[in-house]
């Protein structure tokens, strides 16, 4: 009987810790979706094809490349090309560093070494999610995308792409989720052709 009480106590503690972690990561947060503008944002970029959980290796490769090119810090974002339901092995993603705030000489050097694209100014559905640690990169999309998908369905919108903004490593306090609307996929054609 003492063992059952001891196991019961451990289970209660584990449940409490799981709920505390869930709350800390924003699990009880209500997702607010606003209509706002995004862009323009000039980026250097690299590509990733495959499941989202495998993007880490592509990010590490891209980071080594931009560090070798002399970029000290990447104001990072990703552009997700394919809609929900695409087979995981076919998912296409753009990994980018914003360069629009850099001095012109530095931008010119980076343009010579990387493909570039300027995300145009568009109207967008925008949501943010707090960044607490690396788990936020998994937990945030699980919370935000169902709310965004519901809103898109309610307003009968088919977005051309999805964009997530992260910021500079070590300074990230939130993840931005941006869904452009009112523009066709042709605006992003150079990104589609990068594959």
């Amino acid at each position: 009987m003492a063992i059952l009480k001891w196991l019961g106590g451990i289970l209660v503690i584990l449940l409490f810790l799981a709920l505390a972690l869930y709350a800390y990561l924003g699990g009880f947060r209500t997702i607010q979706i606003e209509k706002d503008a995004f862009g323009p944002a000039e980026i250097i970029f690299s590509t990733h094809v495959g499941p989202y959980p495998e993007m880490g290796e592509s990010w590490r490769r891209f980071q080594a490349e931009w560090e070798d090119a002399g970029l000290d810090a990447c104001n990072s974002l990703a552009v997700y090309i394919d809609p929900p339901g695409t087979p995981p092995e076919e998912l296409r993603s753009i990994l980018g560093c914003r360069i629009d705030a850099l001095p012109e000489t530095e931008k010119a050097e980076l343009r010579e070494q990387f493909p570039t694209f300027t995300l145009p100014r568009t109207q967008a559905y925008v949501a943010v999610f707090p960044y607490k640690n690396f788990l936020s990169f998994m937990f945030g999309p699980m919370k935000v995308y169902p709310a965004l998908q519901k809103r898109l369905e309610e307003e009968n919108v088919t977005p051309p792409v999805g964009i997530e903004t992260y910021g500079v490593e070590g300074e990230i306090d939130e993840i931005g989720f941006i869904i452009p609307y009112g523009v066709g996929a042709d605006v992003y054609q150079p990104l589609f052709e990068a594959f």
Side-chain angles (χ1 to χ4, degrees):
M1 201 57 141
I3 291 177
L4 289 178
K5 286 183 181 180
W6 184 75
L7 288 175
I10 289 176
L11 287 175
V12 168
I13 290 169
L14 290 176
L15 179 61
F16 174 78
L17 291 174
L19 284 172
L21 179 62
Y22 183 77
Y24 172 73
L25 291 173
F28 295 112
R29 181 185 180 101
T30 300
I31 303 302
Q32 300 293 323
I33 300 169
E34 306 291 336
K35 286 186 174 179
D36 203 347
F38 175 78
E42 184 178 3
I43 61 171
I44 58 169
F45 68 87
S46 183
T47 60
H48 169 81
V49 178
Y52 297 140
E54 295 176 7
M55 285 180 69
E57 183 56 39
S58 294
W59 273 108
R60 284 186 286 278
R61 185 189 72 247
F62 181 44
Q63 181 173 358
E65 292 170 357
W66 57 254
E67 285 177 342
D68 286 346
L71 186 60
D72 294 328
C74 173
N75 184 352
S76 60
L77 58 76
V79 181
Y80 297 96
I81 305 294
D82 298 299
T86 301
E89 64 277 3
E90 297 175 16
L91 290 168
R92 297 169 296 165
S93 307
I94 296 290
L95 314 176
C97 295
R98 288 186 71 158
I99 64 169
D100 40 317
L102 298 177
E104 193 57 44
T105 54
E106 191 172 352
K107 285 195 271 191
E109 290 174 7
L110 291 166
R111 288 177 188 133
E112 290 178 7
Q113 300 179 63
F114 294 93
T116 64
F117 181 74
T118 299
L119 296 163
R121 183 171 179 81
T122 61
Q123 292 302 305
Y125 296 93
V126 178
V128 296
F129 194 80
Y131 175 82
K132 301 294 186 180
N133 57 42
F134 73 95
L135 292 173
S136 298
F137 292 125
M138 294 178 289
F139 199 70
M142 289 170 41
K143 284 288 292 182
V144 173
Y145 282 119
L148 279 168
Q149 187 64 34
K150 181 179 177 190
R151 180 78 176 267
L152 294 173
E153 288 172 1
E154 288 171 355
E155 300 190 13
N156 197 28
V157 171
T158 302
V161 296
I163 302 167
E164 291 180 14
T165 59
Y166 310 113
V168 177
E169 186 177 351
E171 300 174 16
I172 302 171
D173 59 357
E174 66 184 19
I175 302 168
F177 296 84
I178 296 111
I179 305 294
Y181 68 90
V183 294
D186 58 312
V187 169
Y188 301 93
Q189 191 63 31
L191 295 182
F192 304 156
E193 293 171 357
F195 298 88

